[in-house]
Amino acid sequence: NAAPADAKNLRVKLVLLGDSGVGKSCIVLQFVRGQFDATSKVTVGASFLSQTITLQDSTTVKFEIWDTAGQERYSALAPLYYRGAGVAVIVYDITSPESFKKAQYWVKELQKHGSPDIVMALVGNKADLHEKREVPTEDGIELAEKNGMFFIETSAKTADNINELFEEIGKRLPRPSQ
Ligand code: GDP
Ligand code: MG
């Protein structure tokens, strides 16, 4: 949950959920380090990274990002991972309908077991592979709208919409009452 030091400085645990290979670790690396490593076949992330951004109203948001090292294969471990998270980013690959199905599963799972005030974002990644697209943008929009989530298509490869993703999440975080 957002655990702010004061109104202008928010801090939040963010988890990424989604099939192995959809680009979760690459999204994190592009956001935190501005890098893309095309050679990595499996997960490339450290288990914990943090990054602070400043919003237009000068609020700072420190994201404490928990990336899995492939444990997403073991759904039973997921509750340990998303416990206490203020933000869940559910990622699928726009070239993989199977990964979109899995995203739908995660939406349900978080609605059942996540914190009630969790901010959820739905991300269609690998938008640069538009020639291989198999999940229409409209399907992402529809799933997100039905579930009150923010939706965006990103490319961790080209960095398209990566900063926008985190800025939009920052804007949607609950602000502490004063
Ligand atoms: P994770 O298992 O969800 O953490 O996925 P990874 O971040 O390890 O990425 C899996 C594979 O997809 C890697 O080979 C990446 O190079 C590739 N990948 C990740 N994001 C993108 C993207 O936006 N575009 C393209 N073309 N490839 C990507
Ligand atoms: Mg990974």
Side-chain angles (χ1 to χ4, degrees):
N1 297 342
D6 60 62
K8 286 283 174 190
N9 296 293
L10 306 178
R11 183 165 56 86
V12 68
K13 172 178 171 181
L14 180 151
V15 295
L16 295 112
L17 296 162
D19 263 352
S20 176
V22 297
K24 300 181 297 299
S25 298
C26 287
I27 288 171
V28 174
L29 278 190
Q30 185 59 263
F31 173 55
V32 174
R33 300 204 188 125
Q35 295 172 353
F36 177 74
D37 181 0
T39 60
S40 71
K41 293 237 160 42
V42 288
T43 198
V44 291
S47 57
F48 181 84
L49 287 166
S50 82
Q51 175 77 321
T52 302
I53 62 168
T54 305
L55 302 178
Q56 267 177 354
D57 69 356
S58 82
T59 302
T60 66
V61 183
K62 181 178 185 184
F63 291 105
E64 299 173 341
I65 304 170
W66 297 46
D67 188 21
T68 65
Q71 298 98 323
E72 58 266 50
R73 288 182 186 85
Y74 310 102
S75 324
L77 295 179
L80 294 173
Y81 173 68
Y82 60 69
R83 179 179 299 160
V87 180
V89 177
I90 298 173
V91 186
Y92 65 92
D93 169 352
I94 66 151
T95 73
S96 163
E98 200 178 292
S99 75
F100 187 67
K101 267 197 157 179
K102 196 61 187 277
Q104 290 169 287
Y105 162 84
W106 284 120
V107 173
K108 282 197 200 119
E109 169 87 6
L110 281 166
Q111 283 175 339
K112 270 191 256 164
H113 304 297
S115 325
D117 58 352
I118 198 165
V119 173
M120 298 207 294
L122 180 67
V123 175
N125 189 44
K126 307 198 186 182
D128 58 289
L129 300 178
H130 41 85
E131 278 156 22
K132 293 187 188 161
R133 177 191 288 274
E134 290 196 37
V135 183
T137 302
E138 293 70 36
D139 290 11
I141 293 172
E142 192 188 338
L143 177 60
E145 274 181 358
K146 265 195 207 153
N147 294 283
M149 305 167 80
F150 167 63
F151 172 69
I152 195 167
E153 289 188 343
T154 60
S155 169
K157 183 176 182 179
T158 65
D160 204 36
N161 276 346
I162 297 294
N163 288 334
E164 288 79 358
L165 164 63
F166 289 90
E167 274 163 29
E168 285 300 326
I169 290 168
K171 285 187 204 164
R172 285 169 168 75
L173 290 176
R175 296 298 192 267
S177 47
Q178 301 174 52

